[in-house]
């Protein structure tokens, strides 16, 4: 299965997102934006029937909500609010019949210990497992932020031991901490719900990486895809071209057909 994130097309309507995605050959969609803004509980609720209809009829089903929920927040009130937001997304996901709600560990203004981060993220996810089971929607913890290294994600999954909490492997962020595709695949074997496919070039700015088309950067995308394919991964490969965050990227009408063509080449090798 090949999907894409709506971060690629901030100016498209919902109808365009589903219908154009289908016409380019994508069969899945991660809803990261609605009406040019990061996805919110309110936006999903307001468009629930529209989303369900498009997902059911367009040929490009909504498979995930790419929420911006961050579980490891500095203040306890923020952590309670994050769990409540994730719970609301799971309930909406159940109504939509999607597979996943993406969550982050998050960034922290303070610098607590690694064990504290693990405890907080584990606790937040543990509070959500019952609703995940009842809605049949999995929580996908992304390799991102303070959890860019897959070791951290693996430790949380080991603590919870629930099929309703899985890993979302973003190909870029482990590279930033020298976590290789082979190591990620080995560490998260059988626990990856879906993956974010993207490429970028190393550079000297604050972020350290500039997004580029697949095959033109320094992220070992082809290696990662082939390792997953050889391991009989049957989840979604989701193209994440972050046009919203990087306006200089090509328009989605150019990017999305090119990315799926390259990804299909990698899967055929």
């Amino acid at each position: 299965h090949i999907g894409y994130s709506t971060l690629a097309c901030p100016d498209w309507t919902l109808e365009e997102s589903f219908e154009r995605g289908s016409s380019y050959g994508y069969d899945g969609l991660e809803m990261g934006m609605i009406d040019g803004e990061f996805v919110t509980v309110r936006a999903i609720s307001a468009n629930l029937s529209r989303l369900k209809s498009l997902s059911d009829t367009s040929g490009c089903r909504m498979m995930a909500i790419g929420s911006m929920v961050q579980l490891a927040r500095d203040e306890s009130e923020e952590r309670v609010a994050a769990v409540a937001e994730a719970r609301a997304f799971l309930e909406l996901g159940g109504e939509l019949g999607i597979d996943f709600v993406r969550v982050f560990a998050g960034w922290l203004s303070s610098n607590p210990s690694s064990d504290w981060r693990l405890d907080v993220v584990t606790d937040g996810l543990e509070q959500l497992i019952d609703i995940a089971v009842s809605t049949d929607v999995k929580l996908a913890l992304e390799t991102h932020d303070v959890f860019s290294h897959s070791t951290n994600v693996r430790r949380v999954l080991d603590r919870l031991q629930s099929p309703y909490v899985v890993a979302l492997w973003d190909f870029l962020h482990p590279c930033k901490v020298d976590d290789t595709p082979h190591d990620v695949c080995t560490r998260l074997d059988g626990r990856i719900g879906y993956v974010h496919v993207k490429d970028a070039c190393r550079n000297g700015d604050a972020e350290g990486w500039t997004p580029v088309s697949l095959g033109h950067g320094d992220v070992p995308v082809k290696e990662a895809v082939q390792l997953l394919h050889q391991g009989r991964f049957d989840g979604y490969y989701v193209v994440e071209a972050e046009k919203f965050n990087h306006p200089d990227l090509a328009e989605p009408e150019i990017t999305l057909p090119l990315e799926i063509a390259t990804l299909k080449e990698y899967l055929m090798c």
Side-chain angles (χ1 to χ4, degrees), residues 30-32 39 65-69 85-86 89 101-104:
E30 180 191 56
M31 189 60 63
V39 70
I65 294 173
S67 88
M68 302 302 291
V69 170
E85 184 181 7
F89 277 127
V101 169
R102 183 270 303 278
V103 295
F104 296 112

Side-chain angles (χ1 to χ4, degrees), residues 29 50 88 139 155 159 171-172 206 212 252 260:
L29 186 150
R50 193 170 157 213
L139 291 148
R155 289 174 70 186
R159 288 183 178 195
F171 287 174
L172 171 60
V212 294
I260 193 170

Side-chain angles (χ1 to χ4, degrees), residues 101-250:
V101 169
R102 183 270 303 278
V103 295
F104 296 112
W107 290 109
L108 298 158
S109 57
S110 59
N111 189 29
S113 70
S114 177
D115 284 343
W116 183 90
R117 297 172 187 170
L118 289 166
D119 290 344
V120 167
V121 173
T122 302
D123 179 65
L125 291 169
E126 193 167 32
Q127 294 177 57
L128 294 164
I129 289 175
D130 284 350
I131 186 67
V133 172
S134 66
T135 57
D136 197 25
V137 180
K138 295 179 175 68
L139 291 148
L141 179 61
E142 183 165 342
T143 55
H144 200 284
D145 304 331
V146 295
F147 274 25
S148 292
H149 202 288
S150 60
T151 297
N152 292 322
V153 175
R154 168 66 186 267
R155 289 174 70 186
V156 170
L157 300 184
D158 282 348
R159 288 183 178 195
L160 292 168
Q161 291 295 320
S162 170
Y164 280 87
V165 182
V166 297
L168 164 51
W169 178 14
D170 181 294
F171 287 174
L172 171 60
H173 294 281
C175 288
K176 296 180 178 182
V177 291
D178 298 320
D179 196 10
T180 69
H182 178 270
D183 288 344
V184 175
C185 276
T186 301
R187 203 170 281 124
L188 299 179
D189 184 40
R191 293 170 157 184
I192 299 170
Y194 67 107
V195 299
H196 276 166
V197 180
K198 62 173 77 168
D199 205 348
C201 289
R202 293 179 188 268
N203 57 47
D205 67 17
E207 171 63 17
W209 296 78
T210 299
V212 294
S213 299
L214 294 181
H216 292 83
D218 299 311
V219 178
V221 177
K222 185 175 182 180
E223 178 188 356
V225 168
Q226 292 180 343
L227 282 167
L228 286 166
H229 191 54
Q230 290 162 12
R232 302 188 182 279
F233 173 69
D234 61 357
Y236 277 92
Y237 297 85
V238 173
V239 169
E240 191 181 44
E242 299 183 42
K243 174 72 171 173
F244 179 78
N245 296 324
H246 303 277
D248 53 328
L249 287 177

